[in-house]
Amino acid sequence: MAAVQAHHRLFLASTCAGQQRRLLRPSRIAAPCRAAVSGGVRTAQSPSSSSSGSGSPSSLRLNLDWVDPRIVAVPTSSPGAQVEVEKLRAIAEAAADRAEMHDIIGRQRDNWNHLLLHSNNSLALAASVMAALAPAAPTVVALKASAGVLLASAAVTMAAVNKIQPSQLAEEQRNATRLWRQLERDVRVTLALAAPVTRADVHDAMDRSNSFGSSSRRRGARGNGWTPELEEEMRGILRVIKAKDEHEYITVGKMVLGLNKGLAVAGPALAGTAAVAAAFIGSGEAGAWASGAAVLGGALAAAANTVEHGGQLGMVFELLRNCAGFYRKMQEEIEANLGEADVERREDGEVLETKVALQLGRSTSELKQFRRLASPSFKDDDVKDFAGKLF
């Protein structure tokens, strides 16, 4: 009987020990989990379990109510990678600030262009009306003096505005805004990727901040993707861009610039001539001619000012120059890849072909027609079509 009782007590002890080991196992597993998510997940025990002091699995539950879903964790492999992430975030914030600054300046300069345009036209036209009415008015001296002052003021302000070219400056700011916003988007995309941020990403973003994307640094490609046919295709596209697209925008840009310069000189000159003529109104036989010259000069000055600044010739010239720069940048990118003897160090050929097709507004299959243009026997004068279809 005693042996049976001893065996029973031994069985109960071993059972209790096993239960204790099974009850303690969840706590050993949960401990590292709590340490790993201590920044975002808390574990809590029920009141009954805390009072009883038991460590049963049912007493552990996750409290996720206070977790902020807006916090996006960027994967980092080392403290150095976290530093690079912070640098990229700083670059993105700086790019956003610069984009906003250029946008504000661009809108301000556009407002200047409209205000100065209407002000100069109002001065010239009002002075012309006074010059026309001065010979028949009893107060000829007052009207003559007023017309002369207004025309002189219009001549000076026209000369200043023509020198500044606010419409061209506004277009420059719009272009800068677009480039800075593009840089910010690219940096945000880099931060949102699952891959760890490296020092090369930071250097690439900094180079683009300094040169608006003209850095020659390239990211490693997944594969080669280059074939002799693709090289011929890129050389043909390069030749067409040089001979047609860029040349066309440069030529038209020079024409617009020449017209803009002519009107910039003509407006103040006409207003100045009208101001001088207004001084001779009412002085003998020359008074009638002086009145007509003042009226005609003021009207022509207002017309020249309207064509120049109302038509925003400065903005048109800057836009044409930006288009030529767009094709020049594409040329440099293609030349940089073709000039690299080691094809493994080039940008992926298929990716480059897709980018070029998108920038030109064509499909990749349409680019194959440019292969024959890479032949030395094909002259630049024989190129009839443009490479780009977008503009």
Side-chain angles (χ1 to χ4, degrees):
M1 184 65 181
V4 173
Q5 292 178 351
H7 179 73
H8 181 65
R9 286 195 298 270
L10 180 61
F11 175 76
L12 290 177
S14 61
T15 303
C16 293
Q19 292 178 350
Q20 290 177 356
R21 283 194 298 270
R22 287 193 297 271
L23 292 175
L24 290 175
R25 188 176 296 116
S27 64
R28 291 199 301 270
I29 296 175
C33 294
R34 288 197 297 270
V37 298
S38 59
V41 179
R42 294 178 179 174
T43 58
Q45 293 184 352
S46 62
S48 60
S49 61
S50 61
S51 60
S52 61
S54 63
S56 61
S58 61
S59 64
L60 297 177
R61 53 189 175 87
L62 297 178
N63 182 10
L64 301 176
D65 297 336
W66 66 286
V67 177
D68 189 359
R70 296 173 296 177
I71 300 178
V72 180
V74 178
T76 56
S77 57
S78 64
Q82 182 63 32
V83 173
E84 305 302 330
V85 169
E86 295 299 328
K87 290 180 180 179
L88 274 184
R89 286 174 178 165
I91 293 174
E93 294 298 330
D97 292 340
R98 291 292 295 272
E100 183 178 2
M101 178 191 71
H102 286 291
D103 181 62
I104 294 173
I105 295 175
R107 285 188 275 110
Q108 183 186 42
R109 290 178 177 177
D110 189 58
N111 291 334
W112 285 354
N113 180 62
H114 289 89
L115 290 174
L116 292 172
L117 166 66
H118 298 307
S119 299
N120 288 334
N121 287 346
S122 299
L123 288 173
L125 294 177
S128 299
V129 172
M130 290 181 181
L133 298 176
T139 57
V140 61
V141 178
L143 288 177
K144 180 176 69 173
S146 299
V149 171
L150 290 178
L151 287 171
S153 301
V156 173
T157 54
M158 282 182 187
V161 173
N162 294 342
K163 181 66 176 179
I164 297 173
Q165 291 292 329
S167 64
Q168 182 178 352
L169 298 179
E171 180 61 26
E172 290 177 352
Q173 296 300 318
R174 283 191 288 266
N175 188 49
T177 302
R178 178 182 62 83
L179 292 173
W180 281 108
R181 284 175 177 169
Q182 180 182 357
L183 172 61
E184 181 193 3
R185 288 194 301 268
D186 292 345
V187 175
R188 299 290 186 190
V189 169
T190 302
L191 289 173
L193 293 177
V197 177
T198 61
R199 187 177 296 273
D201 296 325
V202 178
H203 287 321
D204 183 65
M206 290 298 297
D207 290 338
R208 294 183 59 190
S209 297
N210 296 329
S211 59
F212 290 113
S214 61
S215 174
S216 60
R217 187 176 285 108
R218 303 284 180 196
R219 292 189 179 184
R222 293 178 297 174
N224 183 18
W226 284 91
T227 61
E229 292 79 9
L230 180 58
E231 290 188 357
E232 293 296 318
E233 183 180 304
M234 290 294 119
R235 288 191 177 94
I237 294 173
L238 185 63
R239 188 173 185 179
V240 174
I241 290 176
K242 286 182 177 179
K244 295 293 291 184
D245 298 80
E246 183 185 8
H247 177 72
E248 183 73 13
Y249 281 108
I250 291 177
T251 303
V252 177
K254 289 181 178 179
M255 293 174 56
V256 173
L257 180 61
L259 178 61
N260 190 33
K261 287 183 176 179
L263 292 174
V265 174
L270 289 170
T273 303
V276 173
F280 295 95
I281 296 176
S283 57
E285 297 180 356
W289 292 96
S291 177
V295 173
L296 181 61
L300 290 177
N305 186 64
T306 301
V307 173
E308 181 184 4
H309 297 289
Q312 298 192 7
L313 294 183
M315 182 273 293
V316 174
F317 166 71
E318 186 66 26
L319 184 62
L320 292 171
R321 189 170 65 171
N322 289 337
C323 292
F326 170 80
Y327 287 111
R328 176 65 62 85
K329 182 177 181 296
M330 190 183 301
Q331 288 181 51
E332 294 175 353
E333 186 174 1
I334 296 175
E335 288 174 347
N337 282 278
L338 294 177
E340 179 61 54
D342 186 4
V343 293
E344 296 298 332
R345 299 182 61 183
R346 297 179 182 177
E347 186 176 0
D348 186 275
E350 296 181 359
V351 174
L352 179 62
E353 183 182 27
T354 303
K355 288 169 56 178
V356 171
L358 292 173
Q359 290 173 350
L360 295 177
R362 295 178 177 271
S363 63
T364 54
S365 60
E366 289 180 317
L367 299 183
K368 295 179 175 59
Q369 63 179 328
F370 295 102
R371 293 178 185 173
R372 60 185 181 88
L373 303 179
S375 175
S377 60
F378 204 91
K379 299 181 180 179
D380 292 343
D381 296 336
D382 297 333
V383 178
K384 302 300 181 183
D385 296 331
F386 292 89
K389 283 188 174 181
L390 294 179
F391 47 85

